[in-house]
Amino acid sequence: MSATSTMSLFDKTIRRDVLISSLSAYVPLRPCTFLRSPLKTIAPPLHKKQCHLSKMTPMQSEKPPLHAARLLFPPTNSTPIRQSLPSSPLPQTASPKLPSSLSTSSLSTLSLPLTLKTSPPPLAKCSPFPFPKTSPSPSEAAATRPSELLPPPRLPDTTGPLFEHQPFIVSWNIPDLVCKRYNISLDTSPFKGVATPAKVPGQFLSLFYTDRLGLYPHVDLARRKQYNGGIPQRGNLKASMNKAREDIDYYIPSKTSQGLAVIDWEEWRPLWDRNWGTKRIYQTLSLAHLMQTNRSMSVHQATEKAKQHFEVAAKSFMSGILAMGRAMRPNYLWGFYLFPNCYNYGWSKPDYTGRCSKEVKRQNDELLWLWESSTALYPSVYLQVSLADSPKAALMVRNRVQEALRVSALSRPSGTAPVFAYMRPVFVDQNRRFLSQGDLISTIGESAAVGVSGAVLWGASADYNDQTSCAALSSYLSSTLNPYINNVTLAAQLCSNFLCRGNGRCVRKNSNSNHYLHLNPENFKILHVQNRYLVLGRPSLTDLKALSRRFTCQCYKGLNCSPRTHGELAKALEFSLKQGLYQKFHTLNKAMLDDAQQDSITKDNVKKNLKV
């Protein structure tokens, strides 16, 4: 992507843009003015694009005294819970205390006090992220016309978040066996739910391949072999369900735990007409199976009958396995990987829009039984290298996840099903090349902005199968991916709590705009302290007003999340300041680090630096 095309993904509508996102504010916090001891600051400028980000080295900065900070967002419990969020984002509580144990599975946002007794000179290496000033593109100008001030239609209610106060999460589903063998650490602390695709029971994300759930009928073309009857009509549904019951008991032994259950059956598609290319073998075998017992039929009659038998049998296998999963492990979110699909290929064409065709939408409507049976949807937005650093990537992702959101709302009066978009940190056709920061905006950032519940980062065993690839992944996490995940998830949380009263998630008013949920780089800085990510800063009223102009709220079912007016946002911000600069809003209060502990941490950092 050229510099110009990269900028088109950012907010360009406000004067003095120093842009990472659609959040824009102009009251610099200068958080680094008071930093004293060395630590890493990690967040490369979003306007700089790297193909091989593993070669980057984090900038060095300095850290504030932790005992002088307040928590904007608390460390979240890694135990999944679905609870109603408080109507006020920041209830009155006692002043929070910084956790004494710096857990690698938690993320905190710190805001410096409004006044400090001393003001050392600012440090040159700790300036806010530099982003270029840009002018509005035609699409951005259209997205911010006066018509946008009209209230958007009310969105249907949706299922509450899997983790409390986490409207958007990113889960880890990448193999780590080879990396562990080489003793290469992978920092997964920003991820909510860390799992591996390997055959390991009891994981937050249970991934059921064809050999892990029931007796899935399919054909192996390479081996020219049929398994379990080959086609759904010839499969043994009863035997398959009996084995599936045993598989679920093995892979999800706990009946009370919560998580994601993703079924990866890709050999055939439940709609006859979608079995094209190599999948046409299922049409051929279905027709041959029918003709064996009905030789008097014409080819046309046999084809129509075979289509009917195939789709009925396919529905029985898929809806039956979902019903069993829901009954046995109701706290897991059950769905099929790749469903729904938009089939919006063709991005090589200059006029590519990414929109799903009317025919695709009509076919997806025929799968109403599948959307009603699923408790979560898992579309795929993997990128090919031809989409690297291209604005067309955002168009492809945007329309795929919007189609998933559309079908999740069909015949669901009680609330839409959550959508989790499957992504990869590398390109499908070049698995040694990592996504640039612009590509992350087009995938993770785009998904968060249109209102999905989360993303799943998946990796193949072939992606990280030697020391070099594992080292590259480790470096990419610390330099690029983790800072961006922290940025987006925290911005989504901030928007939810301030704009939506903590009772819903933020969704673009104009789905085709380029507004993103990112922290304003003038007011926030991402730091890495003691194996834990911290975000220094606080939003300004201008930030919150920008959110209200560009985003609306989708309520969690049963809750009121009507977007706050500008006046209400000002009062909410003032209230939070009076309560001690963003206090914890749930019960994870722990002991504050005292001066002795802080000195000890500082000495440890010095020792580590000397060793290096």
Side-chain angles (χ1 to χ4, degrees):
M1 181 187 291
S2 65
T4 302
S5 59
T6 303
M7 295 172 195
S8 69
L9 294 179
F10 303 138
D11 182 326
K12 313 184 190 85
T13 62
I14 301 263
R15 182 172 56 87
R16 290 185 59 200
D17 284 359
V18 183
L19 293 169
I20 191 172
S21 73
S22 59
L23 281 175
S24 54
Y26 317 113
V27 183
L29 185 62
R30 296 190 301 137
C32 300
T33 302
F34 309 103
L35 302 188
R36 297 176 180 174
S37 54
L39 53 85
K40 295 180 181 178
T41 178
I42 44 173
L46 290 185
H47 69 285
K48 294 184 178 180
K49 309 174 294 301
Q50 301 89 10
C51 294
H52 297 279
L53 298 178
S54 59
K55 297 180 180 179
M56 294 183 57
T57 55
M59 301 189 310
Q60 293 295 318
S61 180
E62 305 212 5
K63 70 177 179 181
L66 297 185
H67 61 276
R70 296 285 194 267
L71 286 169
L72 169 57
F73 294 110
T76 53
N77 192 334
S78 59
T79 303
I81 46 179
R82 297 195 196 100
Q83 295 180 1
S84 301
L85 303 189
S87 58
S88 173
L90 301 165
Q92 298 185 23
T93 60
S95 297
K97 297 181 179 181
L98 191 69
S100 57
S101 60
L102 297 178
S103 168
T104 59
S105 63
S106 61
L107 165 68
S108 297
T109 303
L110 302 178
S111 175
L112 292 178
L114 288 176
T115 58
L116 290 178
K117 295 182 179 179
T118 58
S119 299
L123 301 173
K125 291 185 179 181
C126 204
S127 58
F129 311 141
F131 293 99
K133 295 181 180 181
T134 59
S135 57
S137 66
S139 61
E140 279 291 326
T144 54
R145 288 171 182 167
S147 60
E148 189 177 277
L149 299 178
L150 297 175
R154 189 182 187 280
L155 297 170
D157 288 355
T158 187
T159 304
L162 193 59
F163 293 86
E164 187 181 18
H165 306 301
Q166 299 289 315
F168 178 80
I169 65 172
V170 182
S171 296
W172 174 275
N173 195 212
I174 293 177
D176 58 2
L177 184 62
V178 174
C179 299
K180 286 182 177 178
R181 186 182 305 157
Y182 286 105
N183 199 29
I184 296 175
S185 62
L186 302 176
D187 181 8
T188 58
S189 58
F191 294 84
K192 302 300 295 183
V194 177
T196 173
K199 291 184 177 182
V200 179
Q203 298 193 91
F204 167 79
L205 191 156
S206 291
L207 186 55
F208 294 99
Y209 291 122
T210 57
D211 61 340
R212 298 185 189 179
L213 190 63
L215 299 173
Y216 175 62
H218 64 283
V219 178
D220 187 331
L221 286 177
R223 298 180 180 180
R224 303 179 65 85
K225 185 176 180 180
Q226 299 183 39
Y227 292 90
N228 305 315
I231 55 177
Q233 304 94 299
R234 296 178 59 187
N236 189 329
L237 181 59
K238 183 177 179 180
S240 179
M241 298 295 283
N242 289 336
K243 183 178 181 297
R245 186 176 291 105
E246 297 175 358
D247 294 333
I248 294 172
D249 278 331
Y250 174 78
Y251 286 107
I252 311 178
S254 173
K255 296 182 180 181
T256 59
S257 61
Q258 297 183 0
L260 308 179
V262 185
I263 305 171
D264 189 8
W265 289 356
E266 301 180 41
E267 304 306 317
W268 44 260
R269 302 184 182 109
L271 291 182
W272 174 272
D273 294 336
R274 284 187 173 176
N275 288 287
W276 58 74
T278 58
K279 290 178 172 51
R280 197 173 297 278
I281 185 64
Y282 293 97
Q283 296 180 352
T284 302
L285 292 176
S286 295
L287 184 59
H289 175 65
L290 183 67
M291 294 293 287
Q292 288 177 357
T293 56
N294 297 272
R295 297 182 183 274
S296 60
M297 287 186 177
S298 66
V299 174
H300 176 74
Q301 290 174 328
T303 300
E304 289 300 313
K305 200 71 173 179
K307 174 181 177 179
Q308 179 185 353
H309 289 179
F310 173 87
E311 292 187 346
V312 169
K315 176 180 177 180
S316 296
F317 268 89
M318 295 181 72
S319 62
I321 207 70
L322 288 172
M324 175 172 286
R326 296 195 314 268
M328 293 183 64
R329 300 296 183 267
N331 294 327
Y332 269 71
L333 298 177
W334 291 85
F336 280 88
Y337 166 67
L338 280 179
F339 288 88
N341 206 334
C342 177
Y343 303 104
N344 56 346
Y345 305 105
W347 44 76
S348 60
K349 298 178 181 178
D351 58 346
Y352 178 74
T353 64
R355 296 192 185 98
C356 312
S357 68
K358 292 182 179 179
E359 176 63 14
V360 164
K361 290 185 176 182
R362 184 195 64 77
Q363 290 177 334
N364 283 340
D365 289 345
E366 289 184 31
L367 292 173
L368 178 61
W369 58 265
L370 181 57
W371 319 136
E372 290 178 333
S373 301
S374 304
T375 47
L377 304 180
Y378 299 99
S380 172
V381 293
Y382 296 167
L383 293 188
Q384 294 183 14
V385 75
S386 57
L387 286 172
D389 293 321
S390 169
K392 292 181 180 180
L395 296 177
M396 183 273 284
V397 173
R398 178 181 305 170
N399 286 278
R400 286 194 184 183
V401 295
Q402 284 181 342
E403 176 64 1
L405 292 167
R406 184 188 74 85
V407 301
S408 73
L410 297 177
S411 299
R412 282 185 179 270
S414 61
T416 66
V419 174
F420 295 87
Y422 254 81
M423 305 171 184
R424 292 177 72 172
V426 295
F427 292 97
V428 175
D429 45 350
Q430 287 191 21
N431 67 348
R432 290 298 188 265
R433 177 174 173 179
F434 289 101
L435 271 59
S436 71
Q437 202 131 35
D439 298 323
L440 294 178
I441 294 172
S442 296
T443 51
I444 297 176
E446 190 69 35
S447 298
V450 298
V452 304
S453 299
V456 176
L457 213 66
W458 180 84
S461 56
D463 295 344
Y464 316 105
N465 57 4
D466 56 27
Q467 186 173 2
T468 300
S469 57
C470 284
L473 175 61
S474 179
S475 179
Y476 178 68
L477 286 170
S478 61
S479 67
T480 306
L481 183 58
N482 287 353
Y484 185 73
I485 290 176
N486 283 328
N487 191 324
V488 175
T489 54
L490 202 58
Q493 187 180 358
L494 182 149
C495 186
S496 171
N497 283 308
F498 275 96
L499 185 63
C500 306
R501 309 170 190 271
N503 293 335
R505 62 172 50 92
C506 291
V507 180
R508 281 176 180 157
K509 287 183 178 179
N510 181 346
S511 60
N512 291 318
S513 71
N514 292 327
H515 297 149
Y516 291 92
L517 289 168
H518 294 150
L519 298 174
N520 182 353
E522 287 193 355
N523 292 346
F524 293 92
K525 179 170 284 293
I526 300 175
L527 306 174
H528 198 207
V529 185
Q530 296 288 304
N531 298 320
R532 172 173 155 189
Y533 289 92
L534 303 175
V535 180
L536 291 175
R538 63 176 181 263
S540 70
L541 182 58
T542 310
D543 283 337
L544 302 182
K545 287 181 178 179
L547 284 175
S548 70
R549 288 195 303 271
R550 297 157 188 171
F551 290 86
T552 187
C553 297
Q554 183 176 27
C555 299
Y556 304 136
K557 57 184 179 182
L559 300 178
N560 171 36
C561 73
S562 56
R564 283 191 168 106
T565 64
H566 288 184
E568 290 173 330
L569 287 171
K571 290 180 180 179
L573 185 60
E574 180 182 4
F575 172 79
S576 65
L577 292 173
K578 288 181 180 179
Q579 293 306 308
L581 298 179
Y582 310 110
Q583 300 181 21
K584 288 184 175 182
F585 46 76
H586 65 56
T587 59
L588 296 179
N589 294 315
K590 296 182 180 179
M592 182 187 296
L593 284 174
D594 59 24
D595 292 337
Q597 290 173 309
Q598 184 61 47
D599 291 340
S600 176
I601 291 175
T602 303
K603 291 177 181 178
D604 289 341
N605 288 337
V606 172
K607 290 179 181 178
K608 291 179 181 178
N609 292 333
L610 289 175
K611 289 180 180 179
V612 173

